[in-house]
Amino acid sequence: MNSALLATQRGRLQRVLLANGITLLLGQNPTVEILAAHCFFRGGSRAERPQQAGVSHLMAAVLTKGTHRRNSQAIAAAVESLGASLSVDSSADYFEVSLRCVAADFPELLDLLAETLRDPSFPEEEVAREQGLMLQAIRAQQERPFSLAFEQVQQALYGDHPYALPGLGRLETVGSLTREDLVAYHAAYCRPNGMVMVVIGPEPPEQMAAQVEAALGDWVVPGPSPEDRDVPLPPLRDPQLLRLPQPTQQTTILIGFRGSPAASADYPALKLLATYLGSGLSSRLFVELRERCGLAYEVSAFFATRRDPAPFGVYMGTAAENTQVALERLQAEIHRLQANPLDLAEVEMAQRKLLGQYALSKQTNAQVAQLAGWYEILGLGMEFDRQYLQGVRQLTPEQLHQAAKTYLTPPAIALVGPEAALAEVELVF
């Protein structure tokens, strides 16, 4: 058995590759009786075609709603009888199935997990029910100014790349999905070769590996895996100003950029810049635009973790009459990062904040398992956790300055608010 070890906050993770291609990451934490397991599969919206946007989310939502042996009620009863949880999620680069239970119940719940992965029935009534819930969620998103602004920016930054697609899909695409679409997506992407499963609990790794192998070791899906395609990104040349009039009392401003993939050496710098700009009440944007200028109802910044170049954004909500000046001040904060390096004290404060937040995100077995599996399915490996932390600690003002000059241009700017306020805005960049 070929294993690689990595120190984590919760002991050590051990890598085991099963004969059918499943990668296991196993960790022992004897201080609690709760076991957490996360199964990751390549796919997500990155694997979707525009005409099937939302298929990954819908397939994941229905995956645990019936097998050829049990219906959704029987599955729910089996999980709840153990006081356990079984959940699904779909993201830009992957979908996952996760469970939490008392360690003694793991073999029983693992058999149920294997059944749902290997033999889902995708009942028509469950497909229709989840489809209806997704359509409701999409309509609700269309009433949220930030969601509207983010969709505009995604399309401007990514063009024909799948990252331009909304994670939930669109009304017209989700409404046209069929049970056969879900069966085909499951057959293509829910397969052992390439699957990553992280299990962290109180038992020895060898015991947990044997349990997983007994339940999933003979799982084989015929035929080749879908081609892992590289999708080209459109060139970004000029700033874009996108106006979306809405009958609201305030204007939402979102300035988006195309950042780096998670595997890039620049990833830690962009994470730190987002933390500096918009994380918490002490962040630069909160202090300057909300506290000192009184321009912002809300203000923040974000940078996603993606396999391909990820969106970096800053946003704020402001009174409609302040739209132009608020946009100029938000742009000025970006210009400030590009013009001169930050003070060392500013960098060190952002580093402490980011490192502290990251440590707090790894307090439980489930959190550690989710993070380790996420990194593995993105192709970053277990060692990325250590490398990322080291990268953040070693960042200098000059490196942040270079990252800002490289990635925070050209912008895609989305404005959502009253038509009269948006019509008066001029782009100054």
Side-chain angles (χ1 to χ4, degrees):
M1 181 176 66
N2 184 17
S3 301
L5 300 180
L6 170 68
T8 70
Q9 284 192 331
R10 293 277 174 180
R12 303 182 73 84
L13 290 182
Q14 180 174 340
R15 182 196 301 272
V16 177
L17 181 63
L18 300 186
N20 61 353
I22 296 177
T23 296
L24 297 181
L25 304 181
L26 305 163
Q28 184 176 18
N29 176 16
T31 62
V32 294
E33 288 299 313
I34 301 301
L35 178 145
H38 286 246
C39 303
F40 289 79
F41 300 87
R42 293 187 180 92
S45 54
R46 188 182 185 277
E48 295 177 349
R49 304 294 180 180
Q51 63 271 24
Q52 287 193 326
V55 65
S56 177
H57 189 96
L58 183 57
M59 187 282 297
V62 186
L63 184 62
T64 59
K65 298 300 171 59
T67 70
H68 290 97
R69 289 177 51 200
R70 306 185 226 205
N71 61 21
S72 59
Q73 291 79 13
I75 292 174
V79 174
E80 291 174 5
S81 69
L82 300 175
S85 68
L86 179 66
S87 58
V88 296
D89 189 26
S90 179
S91 187
D93 297 302
Y94 63 87
F95 63 91
E96 67 171 307
V97 184
S98 59
L99 62 86
R100 287 190 300 169
C101 63
V102 175
D105 296 328
F106 183 49
E108 184 175 349
L109 197 57
L110 184 57
D111 286 340
L112 176 60
L113 173 67
E115 184 181 326
T116 61
L117 293 178
R118 301 171 68 162
D119 195 31
S121 57
F122 296 109
E124 290 281 7
E125 64 274 16
E126 297 291 346
V127 173
R129 182 178 296 112
E130 293 297 332
Q131 207 166 18
L133 292 174
M134 282 181 63
L135 292 172
Q136 290 179 23
I138 293 170
R139 293 188 183 98
Q141 279 191 345
Q142 293 176 341
E143 297 178 358
R144 301 187 190 110
F146 175 80
S147 297
L148 293 171
F150 187 60
E151 184 173 351
Q152 295 285 313
V153 167
Q154 281 190 124
Q155 293 174 0
L157 294 178
Y158 292 101
D160 293 332
H161 189 283
Y163 284 177
L165 301 174
L168 286 178
R170 298 191 171 97
L171 290 174
E172 63 273 16
T173 60
V174 172
S176 66
L177 292 173
T178 66
R179 176 185 178 276
E180 289 68 31
D181 294 326
L182 306 192
V183 171
Y185 190 92
H186 173 268
Y189 293 100
C190 190
R191 47 198 307 135
N193 47 315
M195 169 184 163
V196 174
M197 184 173 186
V198 189
V199 186
I200 300 179
E203 309 294 350
E206 296 78 10
Q207 178 177 330
M208 294 185 290
Q211 292 168 334
V212 173
E213 188 162 22
L216 292 168
D218 63 344
W219 181 25
V220 177
V221 175
S225 299
E227 181 183 358
D228 191 12
R229 58 197 177 105
D230 288 324
V231 186
L233 289 161
L236 297 177
R237 297 188 180 91
D238 301 314
Q240 300 180 67
L241 180 60
L242 312 163
R243 297 179 177 90
L244 186 59
Q246 293 288 300
T248 59
Q249 296 299 313
Q250 68 178 54
T251 299
T252 295
I253 303 172
L254 174 58
I255 304 180
F257 306 92
R258 202 159 68 199
S260 74
S264 169
D266 295 323
Y267 172 80
L270 291 173
K271 277 293 187 184
L272 193 59
L273 284 173
T275 299
Y276 167 76
L277 282 171
S279 179
L281 305 184
S282 62
S283 67
R284 172 73 185 186
L285 296 183
F286 189 92
V287 171
E288 289 296 319
L289 302 185
R290 180 183 167 92
E291 297 299 296
R292 293 183 180 172
C293 298
L295 289 172
Y297 296 123
E298 59 178 344
V299 63
S300 191
F302 62 86
F303 174 52
T305 300
R306 299 275 179 86
R307 175 179 167 178
D308 293 336
F312 183 108
V314 294
Y315 72 93
M316 66 185 296
T318 190
E321 62 270 19
N322 291 332
T323 301
Q324 180 69 48
V325 65
L327 174 58
E328 292 175 359
R329 292 303 300 264
L330 194 56
Q331 290 175 296
E333 292 300 327
I334 300 298
H335 292 158
R336 175 176 176 269
L337 293 177
Q338 295 169 329
N340 297 291
L342 297 174
D343 294 338
L344 182 59
E346 293 178 298
V347 175
E348 291 176 343
M349 179 178 176
Q351 287 170 320
R352 290 193 298 271
K353 183 188 297 187
L354 178 55
L355 293 171
Q357 292 171 343
Y358 190 76
L360 290 173
S361 74
K362 300 192 297 180
Q363 295 187 87
T364 67
N365 287 348
Q367 289 173 321
V368 174
Q370 203 280 333
L371 201 61
W374 185 17
Y375 290 158
E376 185 72 18
I377 203 68
L378 291 181
L380 304 172
M382 292 192 302
E383 62 279 1
F384 181 77
D385 183 81
R386 175 185 56 80
Q387 294 171 349
Y388 169 63
L389 292 174
Q390 182 179 3
V392 171
R393 293 189 185 101
Q394 294 177 346
L395 284 168
T396 65
E398 290 73 25
Q399 288 172 314
L400 294 179
H401 183 215
Q402 184 59 50
K405 291 192 296 181
T406 300
Y407 292 98
L408 304 189
T409 185
I413 304 173
L415 306 177
V416 179
E419 184 172 8
L422 303 193
E424 297 175 358
V425 173
E426 295 182 359
L427 180 61
V428 180
F429 216 98

